Amino acid sequence: MKSSKPIGIIIGIVVLIIIILMFGLPLYNVWQQEMAGKAEMAKAEQNRKILIEEARARLEAEKLNAQAEIERAKGMAEAMKLENGTLNTTYNQYLFIRTLEKLADKGDLPQIIYMPAEGLVPVLDVNHTKKSVTPVE
């Protein structure tokens, strides 16, 4: 009789643990799914906020670019007024040289071919690629 009492207690504890797990695990799974859903919802909300802020930043950048373009146009209009619509060849050459300097800074300077004409009008060969020329001996 003494040996059956501890076995009965062990069996009772095992049965009690099984009953607790039968009811506890489904409740835990429901709670876990609820927490996962809340986490997913919070992540989606944060992603939405990020997209809205990026769109606002793009809009602000476009507004600033538009203002810069307006200011550039105003400056060009004022320069035209100052020049009174008369551009001489020296000023045109100056503008051409400035453009060449900007292209050279970018590394996009095309080959320039001068044709004998009045004012030495340059012809730009933008399709020309630089080739190594070896001297002939």
Side-chain angles (χ1 to χ4, degrees):
M1 283 263 237
K2 287 184 180 180
S3 67
S4 68
K5 202 171 192 183
I7 293 176
I9 292 175
I10 292 174
I11 291 176
I13 291 174
V14 169
V15 169
L16 183 64
I17 290 173
I18 291 172
I19 291 173
I20 289 172
L21 289 176
M22 285 174 53
F23 290 104
L25 282 177
L27 290 175
Y28 173 76
N29 285 337
V30 169
W31 175 82
Q32 184 184 21
Q33 289 296 321
E34 183 180 339
M35 291 296 114
K38 285 182 181 179
E40 194 67 32
M41 188 65 138
K43 185 177 178 182
E45 180 68 22
Q46 186 64 27
N47 288 340
R48 186 183 70 79
K49 287 179 182 178
I50 289 170
L51 288 173
I52 289 171
E53 286 304 314
E54 286 175 348
R56 283 186 183 142
R58 282 193 304 273
L59 176 63
E60 186 67 25
E62 288 299 322
K63 285 181 181 179
L64 291 174
N65 286 337
Q67 287 176 351
E69 189 66 25
I70 289 170
E71 291 301 317
R72 187 192 67 75
K74 286 179 182 177
M76 291 291 288
E78 190 161 330
M80 296 287 277
K81 283 181 189 176
L82 290 175
E83 295 163 0
N84 198 12
T86 58
L87 295 177
N88 59 23
T89 57
T90 306
Y91 186 72
N92 283 336
Q93 287 174 351
Y94 165 74
L95 290 176
F96 177 70
I97 291 169
R98 276 187 45 195
T99 302
L100 288 179
E101 288 172 349
K102 288 179 184 177
L103 288 173
D105 288 342
K106 289 183 185 178
D108 294 335
L109 190 61
Q111 181 179 4
I112 301 169
I113 303 169
Y114 284 97
M115 309 264 305
E118 188 174 326
L120 290 177
V121 178
V123 176
L124 301 179
D125 183 12
V126 293
N127 294 323
H128 178 74
T129 58
K130 292 184 180 179
K131 295 181 182 177
S132 299
V133 178
T134 56
V136 179
E137 295 179 15

